[in-house]
């Protein structure tokens, strides 16, 4: 068990993955044996390397592709998803499952902008350029190579993307006019020790020499690079160089050498089947045989040439078909997606509008309620004193009396009227009169409980309904109010005078629960208090009631104070 951090081991294995297979295998062994707790991300990185290992070194491309597909679906990390998609694309393409390869390639390429690590992003795009080149989509391949080169790639990537760019340009018949530009890719790759890429670039340069009318120069370059090409052990490159030398040698009349090189190409037939290289080599051999006037050999070689050509053409068609199928699928998916997006947007818009409307309605209802409340308060309140007005007092009192009657509770009513108020107004002005009214409201409120309703029921007339009070208790409260009013210090109003009021008290014991009767009896008592000299409290007792029923007798006053 190593103590090396798991991430460092993963990184080392990743770096050795293609350049140092032995070290890679050792590191993978260590990683697999490691039984430390690992994070999801570490597990996914390991899974990527395992898929790579199985596909490349285990010679099980299909299994490797399946592992990479599973990882592509499961991982939440964009970089790993991108790399896994690229791996599925490569493995499927090598396995000639072109449509699967293309599908994953497109998915991976579409998410390249989400990959933060520039090196990983470029690696995937270079892979994309390679695969698109393989299926004959050189314009797309060129676009990816250009994109990488414009994105300040590292030195190695400048070589890799540079040589993909050359291959695409060659296939599109759009090679740069100056040989120096091709040579610079060769030099860049040689500097990075990227032999396959360097020699692919060299063979393109050789083809350009030949096309520019210098087959000698082309052959010299090809023969010079041949040992290094052989050392790469990359069949397609080796066979390609031999086939090119064979073709050029034949053109220059060196039939023997042409035949040798063409035969070397054909010998690698298994590894390079259905390629243009094999077609070219059979073509060279056939022409040599035809020139030698050996019809049966020529016919046999012609047959092989025709078969190779047919295989190659059908391979091209298969690639084109795969590309068209996937392109069609992608277009359909994009259209479907656009449709879904449009309808989601529409739904969102409608929902948004509804929400705004709902908001407006709620706001409107709240405003109305608030206004209603304000209006109701205004309708119930006397603006000068802040007490309930006559209407409100009547409403509340009637309800309270109904409740009291139902509960069998007693209730009492106190009514009072300021004395000589007209004189206050006349002497000290209306402003002073208003001030007095406010002070009266405040002073009497202080004597009432929350459950009592004190209201201003006329100009200088007030009333309070006292639930649970009998006549005596109500008269006591009235008396307290009376004495408090008499003590109001009026200097604050700017004048010095005395405020007094006359009080009438009635109760349910004598008047019943009918408000108008209670008011009428209290009013009678108030009137009596005024008559008796003001600033006093008169209560409607049982005796008083009897007196009022027999008006001939002089009614006795129930004066609590004078
Ligand atoms: N300042 C002011 N005065 C008011 C208001 N409402 C009514 N008044 C006045 O109250 C006075 C009531 O006068 P009267 O009904 O003659 O009674 P009084 O002068 O109090 O005499 P008695 O009740 O007999 O003691 C009138 O002068 C009204 O103008 C008000 O809101 N503010």
């Amino acid at each position: 068990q190593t103590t090396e951090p798991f991430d460092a081991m993963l990184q080392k294995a990743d770096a050795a993955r293609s350049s140092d297979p032995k070290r890679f295998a050792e590191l993978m062994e260590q990683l697999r044996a490691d039984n430390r707790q690992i994070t999801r991300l570490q597990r996914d990185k390991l899974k990527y390397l395992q898929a790579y290992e199985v596909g490349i070194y285990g010679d099980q491309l299909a299994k490797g592709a399946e592992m990479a597909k599973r990882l592509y679906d499961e991982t939440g990390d964009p970089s790993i998803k991108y790399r896994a998609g690229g791996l599925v694309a490569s493995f499927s393409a090598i396995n000639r499952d072109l449509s699967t390869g293309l599908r994953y390639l497109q998915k991976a390429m579409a998410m390249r902008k989400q990959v933060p690590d520039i090196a990983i992003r470029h690696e995937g795009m270079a892979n994309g350029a390679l695969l698109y080149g393989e299926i004959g989509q050189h314009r797309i391949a060129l676009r990816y190579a250009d994109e990488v080169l414009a994105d300040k790639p590292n030195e190695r990537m400048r070589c890799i993307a540079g040589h993909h760019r050359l291959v695409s340009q060659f296939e599109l018949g759009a090679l740069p006019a100056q040989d120096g530009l091709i040579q610079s890719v060769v030099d860049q790759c040689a500097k990075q020790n990227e032999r396959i890429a360097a020699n692919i670039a060299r063979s393109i340069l050789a083809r350009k020499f030949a096309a520019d009318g210098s087959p000698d120069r082309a052959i010299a370059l090809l023969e010079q690079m041949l040992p290094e090409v052989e050392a790469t052990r990359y069949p397609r490159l080796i066979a390609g160089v031999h086939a090119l030398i064979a073709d050029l040698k034949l053109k220059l009349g060196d039939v023997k050498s042409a035949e040798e090189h063409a035969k070397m190409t054909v010998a690698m037939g298994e590894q390079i089947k259905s390629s243009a290289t094999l077609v070219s080599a059979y073509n060279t051999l056939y022409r040599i045989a035809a020139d030698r006037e050996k019809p049966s050999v020529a016919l046999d070689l012609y047959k092989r040439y025709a078969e190779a050509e047919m295989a190659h053409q059908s391979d091209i068609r298969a690639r084109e078909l795969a590309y068209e199928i996937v392109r069609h699928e992608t277009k359909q998916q994009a259209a479907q997606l656009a449709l879904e997006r449009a309808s989601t947007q529409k739904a969102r818009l409608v929902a948004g509008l509804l929400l705004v409307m709902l908001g407006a309605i709620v706001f409107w209802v709240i405003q109305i309620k608030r206004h209603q409340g304000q209006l109701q308060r205004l309708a119930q309140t006397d603006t000068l004193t802040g007490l309930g007005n006559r209407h409100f007092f009547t409403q509340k009192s009637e309800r309270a009396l109904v409740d009291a009657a139902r509960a069998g509770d007693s209730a009492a009513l106190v009514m009072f009227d300021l004395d000589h108020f007209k004189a206050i107004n006349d002497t000290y002005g209306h402003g002073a009169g208003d001030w007095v009214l406010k002070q009266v409201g405040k002073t009497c409120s202080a004597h009432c409980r929350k459950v009592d309703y004190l209201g201003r029921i006329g100009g200088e007339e007030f009333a309070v309904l006292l639930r649970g009070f009998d006549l005596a208790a109500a008269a006591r409260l009235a008396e307290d109010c009376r004495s408090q009013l008499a003590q109001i210090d009026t200097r604050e109003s700017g004048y010095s005078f005395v405020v007094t009021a006359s009080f009438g008290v009635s109760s349910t014991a004598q008047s019943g629960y009918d408000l108008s009767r209670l008011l009428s009896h209290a009013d009678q008592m108030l009137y009596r208090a005024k008559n008796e000299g003001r600033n006093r409290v008169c209560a409607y007792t049982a005796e008083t009631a009897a007196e009022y029923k027999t008006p001939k007798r002089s009614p006795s006053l129930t004066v609590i104070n004078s």
Side-chain angles (χ1 to χ4, degrees):
Q1 179 80 47
T2 167
T3 52
E4 194 176 1
F6 201 81
D7 276 330
M9 281 164 65
L10 281 170
Q11 215 167 354
K12 278 187 187 164
D14 204 359
R17 179 172 49 102
S18 63
S19 58
D20 191 347
K22 196 164 157 269
R23 178 92 186 100
F24 177 60
E26 283 166 14
L27 283 161
M28 287 303 285
E29 214 42 65
Q30 278 181 29
L31 283 163
R32 256 191 295 273
D34 201 301
N35 51 15
R36 271 177 288 185
Q37 192 85 21
I38 58 171
T39 64
R40 257 188 91 126
L41 186 67
Q42 288 170 332
R43 191 200 59 203
D44 287 353
K45 280 184 180 166
L46 183 59
K47 278 186 178 178
Y48 169 78
L49 295 174
Q50 281 173 324
Y52 184 92
E53 190 185 28
V54 168
I56 300 281
Y57 299 116
D59 268 344
Q60 298 179 75
L61 284 169
K63 192 178 169 200
E66 280 313 311
M67 289 166 75
K69 265 186 214 172
R70 221 171 305 133
L71 180 59
Y72 177 92
D73 290 337
E74 284 169 9
T75 187
D77 182 78
S79 300
I80 294 176
K81 206 178 182 70
Y82 176 74
R83 296 182 83 189
L87 210 55
V88 180
S90 304
F91 289 175
S92 306
I94 303 171
N95 228 10
R96 306 317 279 169
D97 182 359
L98 291 177
S99 40
T100 305
L102 266 169
R103 254 175 233 127
Y104 277 85
L105 186 58
Q106 286 195 344
K107 288 192 210 179
M109 288 301 102
M111 61 179 296
R112 65 187 185 279
K113 302 247 157 73
Q114 299 165 37
V115 177
D117 185 331
I118 188 168
I120 292 179
R121 194 165 69 218
H122 290 167
E123 201 73 49
M125 288 162 71
N127 193 29
L130 171 72
L131 294 180
Y132 273 112
E134 289 284 313
I135 57 154
Q137 295 301 320
H138 302 294
R139 263 175 222 296
I140 304 176
L142 183 60
R143 210 170 61 218
Y144 285 131
D146 278 342
E147 199 179 313
V148 172
L149 289 168
D151 196 24
K152 297 202 182 76
N154 61 32
E155 291 287 307
R156 185 184 153 269
M157 191 43 72
R158 264 179 57 203
C159 147
I160 302 292
H163 103 282
H164 283 313
R165 184 165 193 271
L166 275 187
V167 173
S168 315
Q169 285 176 326
F170 171 74
E171 296 289 348
L172 292 166
L175 274 180
Q178 302 98 316
D179 299 342
L181 287 176
I182 307 177
Q183 187 60 50
S184 71
V185 177
V186 171
D187 295 343
Q188 175 70 17
C189 290
K191 208 168 82 191
Q192 293 302 310
N193 211 18
E194 287 290 340
R195 292 192 184 155
I196 294 178
N199 285 298
I200 287 175
R202 279 193 191 108
S203 66
I204 288 174
L205 189 59
R207 283 174 198 274
K208 184 163 184 295
F209 289 158
D212 291 347
S214 307
D216 292 320
R217 213 175 154 203
I219 289 177
L221 174 57
L222 290 164
E223 283 180 337
Q224 181 205 329
M225 67 193 247
L226 199 53
E228 197 178 297
V229 167
E230 305 264 10
T232 64
R233 307 174 68 175
Y234 181 44
R236 285 169 62 181
L237 176 64
I238 301 167
V241 170
H242 281 301
L244 188 55
I245 296 175
D247 181 54
L248 293 171
K249 290 268 186 185
L250 186 62
K251 276 189 186 128
L252 291 178
D254 186 351
V255 179
K256 192 168 167 285
S257 181
E259 188 175 23
E260 272 171 24
H261 283 288
K263 278 187 174 162
M264 274 188 236
T265 309
V266 168
M268 297 173 83
E270 247 327 288
Q271 290 147 295
I272 56 159
K273 57 184 167 200
S274 66
S275 66
T277 300
L278 194 61
V279 175
S280 161
Y282 275 126
N283 181 274
T284 305
L285 288 175
Y286 153 69
R287 280 189 289 153
I288 292 170
D291 277 354
R292 284 179 185 154
E293 296 184 2
K294 286 188 174 166
S296 66
V297 179
L299 185 64
D300 179 52
L301 284 167
Y302 186 82
K303 263 196 216 155
R304 283 166 191 255
Y305 157 65
E307 275 166 15
E309 175 67 19
M310 259 160 56
H312 178 49
Q313 288 304 326
S314 90
D315 198 56
I316 290 175
R317 273 198 301 280
R319 292 182 219 163
E320 282 171 353
L321 193 67
Y323 177 70
E324 281 309 320
I325 289 171
V326 174
R327 202 165 70 116
H328 190 69
E329 270 177 14
T330 313
K331 266 191 183 166
Q332 253 184 342
Q333 278 164 3
Q336 182 72 25
L337 213 69
L339 204 72
E340 276 164 20
R341 220 174 272 158
S343 64
T344 323
Q345 258 172 1
K346 212 158 124 192
R348 260 192 216 141
L349 198 73
V350 172
L353 271 173
L354 282 176
L355 216 68
V356 169
M357 274 164 66
L358 198 73
I361 290 171
V362 168
F363 176 76
W364 188 58
V365 167
I366 290 172
Q367 287 297 96
I368 287 179
K369 285 265 169 217
R370 193 175 290 165
H371 275 111
Q372 273 180 340
Q374 280 169 352
L375 283 174
Q376 201 173 9
R377 266 192 300 282
L378 273 177
Q380 292 169 345
T381 315
D382 166 50
T383 44
L384 182 68
T385 58
L387 299 177
N389 58 21
R390 184 176 190 103
H391 175 70
F392 186 60
F393 171 81
T394 308
Q395 252 187 355
K396 287 284 190 185
S397 300
E398 275 175 347
R399 208 168 300 154
L401 284 168
V402 169
D403 289 347
R406 205 172 288 150
D409 288 347
S410 58
L413 184 93
V414 174
M415 206 171 155
F416 61 98
D417 182 289
L418 300 185
D419 297 332
H420 301 305
F421 191 56
K422 186 175 180 314
I424 292 174
N425 268 331
D426 293 348
T427 317
Y428 309 107
H430 214 262
D434 282 353
W435 181 86
V436 169
L437 289 169
K438 279 192 231 171
Q439 294 308 308
V440 168
K442 266 192 217 161
T443 309
C444 289
S445 291
H447 283 279
C448 296
R449 303 161 304 174
K450 270 211 170 119
V451 290
D452 302 332
Y453 299 119
L454 172 63
R456 183 182 173 202
I457 59 168
E460 75 312 5
E461 202 173 26
F462 299 81
V464 53
L465 185 90
L466 302 155
R467 194 154 164 204
F469 272 42
D470 60 10
L471 190 68
R476 273 197 301 278
L477 183 128
E479 176 50 29
D480 285 347
C481 275
R482 187 203 62 77
S483 86
Q484 288 300 315
L485 292 186
Q487 286 170 39
I488 288 176
D489 183 356
T490 62
R491 279 173 301 184
E492 209 184 292
S493 72
Y495 305 99
S496 192
F497 54 91
V498 178
V499 176
T500 63
S502 302
F503 290 72
V505 184
S506 61
S507 75
T508 50
Q510 300 308 321
S511 314
Y513 290 90
D514 178 47
L515 180 64
S516 52
R517 269 172 71 80
L518 279 162
L519 278 168
S520 155
H521 291 163
D523 192 42
Q524 282 175 14
M525 291 305 98
L526 199 158
Y527 182 70
R528 180 177 284 186
K530 289 268 185 195
N531 277 339
E532 292 299 317
R534 298 183 170 77
N535 190 22
R536 67 195 61 214
V537 176
C538 288
Y540 194 83
T541 59
E543 294 81 51
T544 322
E547 282 166 23
Y548 272 84
K549 275 181 194 151
T550 48
K552 275 177 201 150
R553 269 172 43 203
S554 159
S556 72
L557 294 179
T558 310
V559 177
I560 292 178
N561 76 305
S562 61

